[in-house]
């Protein structure tokens, strides 16, 4: 396996990750019923976000924390939701990529999730 290197890699990763999330009833409702995401634009936002985080380039302009705090007001994001999210995130990375950037992405995701849990 190769490391994460391009926007296309990130798009593949986000698509595979969301297949897992949306097939798990313990968490899918957050995306489909509460946030009511439009999947394709959402995936592009995620690619922009991770491209900025991992490669210090990209177009992401939204406030991730604010978005998730608003979502938490609508439906409490529990410890279990974060655990499920991180499990699928890490599993999807490990199934598709190997290398320093892949490891950095998992570390950053854990850090972001930890900060979100503290603030909620």
């Amino acid at each position: 396996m190769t490391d994460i290197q391009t926007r296309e890699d990130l798009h593949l990763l986000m698509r595979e990750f969301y297949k897992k999330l949306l097939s798990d009833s313990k968490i899918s409702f957050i995306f489909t019923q509460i946030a009511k995401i439009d999947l394709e634009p959402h995936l592009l936002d995620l690619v922009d976000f991770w491209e900025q985080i991992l490669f210090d380039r990209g177009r992401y302009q939204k406030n991730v924390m604010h978005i998730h705090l608003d979502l938490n007001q609508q439906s409490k994001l529990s410890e279990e939701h974060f655990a499920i999210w991180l499990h699928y995130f890490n599993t999807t990375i490990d199934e598709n990529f190997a290398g320093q950037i892949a490891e950095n992405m998992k570390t950053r995701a854990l850090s972001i999730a930890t900060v979100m849990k503290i603030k909620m």
Side-chain angles (χ1 to χ4, degrees):
M1 279 190 282
T2 61
D3 206 349
I4 300 165
Q5 299 174 18
T6 66
R7 278 185 67 80
E8 291 75 24
D9 291 343
L10 292 170
H11 199 269
L12 167 83
L13 185 60
M14 290 300 108
R15 182 170 300 288
E16 294 302 312
F17 173 51
Y18 267 74
K19 282 181 190 176
K20 290 174 175 52
L21 285 177
L22 295 176
S23 68
D24 187 329
S25 62
K26 292 180 197 156
I27 197 167
S28 63
F29 74 95
I30 295 170
F31 302 96
T32 59
Q33 296 172 20
I34 308 301
K36 298 179 183 170
I37 62 165
D38 184 353
L39 186 58
E40 290 307 314
H42 186 65
L43 292 175
L44 292 175
D45 281 344
L46 294 169
V47 168
D48 288 345
F49 174 79
W50 285 107
E51 184 179 40
Q52 187 169 326
I53 295 293
L54 297 173
F55 303 118
D56 200 25
R57 63 177 188 261
R59 323 169 245 254
Y60 194 79
Q61 300 288 320
K62 298 177 182 176
N63 183 326
V64 173
M65 187 60 67
H66 181 72
I67 291 167
H68 289 86
L69 288 172
D70 284 349
L71 186 59
N72 187 59
Q73 290 294 317
Q74 296 174 56
S75 179
K76 178 74 174 140
L77 301 177
S78 70
E79 184 72 35
E80 181 183 25
H81 294 136
F82 283 100
I84 292 168
W85 189 94
L86 283 168
H87 168 73
Y88 287 136
F89 194 83
N90 291 338
T91 299
T92 306
I93 291 172
D94 290 342
E95 289 171 349
N96 292 279
F97 297 98
Q100 189 59 52
I101 296 170
E103 292 304 314
N104 288 349
M105 191 174 189
K106 291 188 292 186
T107 300
R108 293 299 298 267
L110 176 59
S111 177
I112 291 165
T114 301
V115 169
M116 283 186 182
K117 285 190 290 185
I118 291 167
K119 292 194 174 206
M120 291 180 187

